Amino acid sequence: MDATQISSELTKVLYTNDQIQERLTELAAQIDEKYRGKDLLLIGVLNGAVMVMADLSRHLATHLQMDWMAISSYGSGTQSSGVVRILKDLNTDIEGRHVLVVEDIIDTGLTLAYLIQNLNSRKPASLEIMTMFRKPDALSSPVDVAYVGFDLPNEFVVGYGLDYAGRYRNLTDVGTLAPHVYS
């Protein structure tokens, strides 16, 4: 689905699918350069990172493996609850591996800060973060991000994996959700 199909539910489109794919191509080139010849493991954070991880992996020339974690601090609301829970852990031992965590969005940074602390305790050879979107004005827990697709305003956005109560993940564009939808 694209933004034209749900234009009454969005106040504006921030990034089109073409812009997102172009940026992923640029990020993939940087990641390929960094991890050339290394044993790369992508860890996607469910559910939002599915779109990013699938498209990023297709843009990469580097051999890689994938695994998934599910972590939550939102529930079905529009703001982080402040409580981080691991809903699904990794199936892969990451000790000695080069790990790139793939996120859809970094909002407050709380969830990601917890995740990075947890993963570092498992002794990877390296651990970096790639996020498609970041809200710099919402950060309350700073995290070091190696690869950022786009910075977003501190608004409630949906699309390209970003959801509201499980909906809008399949929107190919990213836009600001109209307040009448969630109020």
Side-chain angles (χ1 to χ4, degrees):
M1 150 177 39
D2 68 36
T4 62
Q5 295 170 288
I6 59 163
S7 59
S8 67
E9 297 171 47
L10 301 174
T11 58
K12 64 184 165 198
V13 173
L14 299 169
Y15 297 102
T16 65
N17 187 51
D18 288 343
Q19 291 171 307
I20 292 167
Q21 295 306 316
E22 183 178 322
R23 183 68 180 128
L24 280 170
T25 299
E26 295 166 359
L27 292 170
Q30 295 172 25
I31 293 165
D32 279 333
E33 182 66 30
K34 168 93 184 219
Y35 291 101
R36 186 168 288 120
K38 296 182 179 173
D39 183 22
L40 178 61
L41 173 65
L42 298 182
I43 295 178
V45 181
L46 295 170
N47 288 324
V50 169
M51 306 301 183
V52 179
M53 186 118 131
D55 286 347
L56 175 66
S57 67
R58 286 189 286 255
H59 287 283
L60 288 168
T62 301
H63 287 291
L64 57 90
Q65 291 180 311
M66 294 182 199
D67 203 346
W68 300 91
M69 289 186 83
I71 303 204
S72 177
S73 69
Y74 276 83
S76 63
T78 61
Q79 304 239 337
S80 176
S81 67
V83 177
V84 180
R85 299 180 309 143
I86 294 179
L87 306 175
K88 183 216 173 289
D89 206 345
L90 295 172
N91 295 322
T92 308
D93 180 5
I94 67 169
E95 186 171 346
R97 302 285 304 271
H98 295 281
V99 174
L100 180 63
V101 174
V102 178
E103 271 277 26
D104 55 347
I105 189 167
I106 299 174
D107 197 328
T108 64
L110 174 70
T111 305
L112 192 55
Y114 172 84
L115 175 61
I116 296 306
Q117 179 183 2
N118 181 292
L119 293 176
N120 269 325
S121 73
R122 303 178 195 200
K123 302 177 180 146
S126 68
L127 179 63
E128 290 190 319
I129 302 163
M130 179 272 169
T131 187
M132 195 67 235
F133 305 104
R134 176 178 62 183
K135 290 184 180 179
D137 294 338
L139 278 175
S140 61
S141 197
V143 289
D144 185 24
V145 182
Y147 308 97
V148 177
F150 300 102
D151 282 333
L152 296 173
N154 194 14
E155 300 171 347
F156 195 68
V157 296
V158 294
Y160 199 70
L162 307 174
D163 76 307
Y164 169 62
R167 297 181 64 209
Y168 302 99
R169 289 191 195 279
N170 63 324
L171 175 62
T172 57
D173 307 307
V174 171
T176 303
L177 191 62
H180 74 82
V181 175
Y182 59 88
S183 43

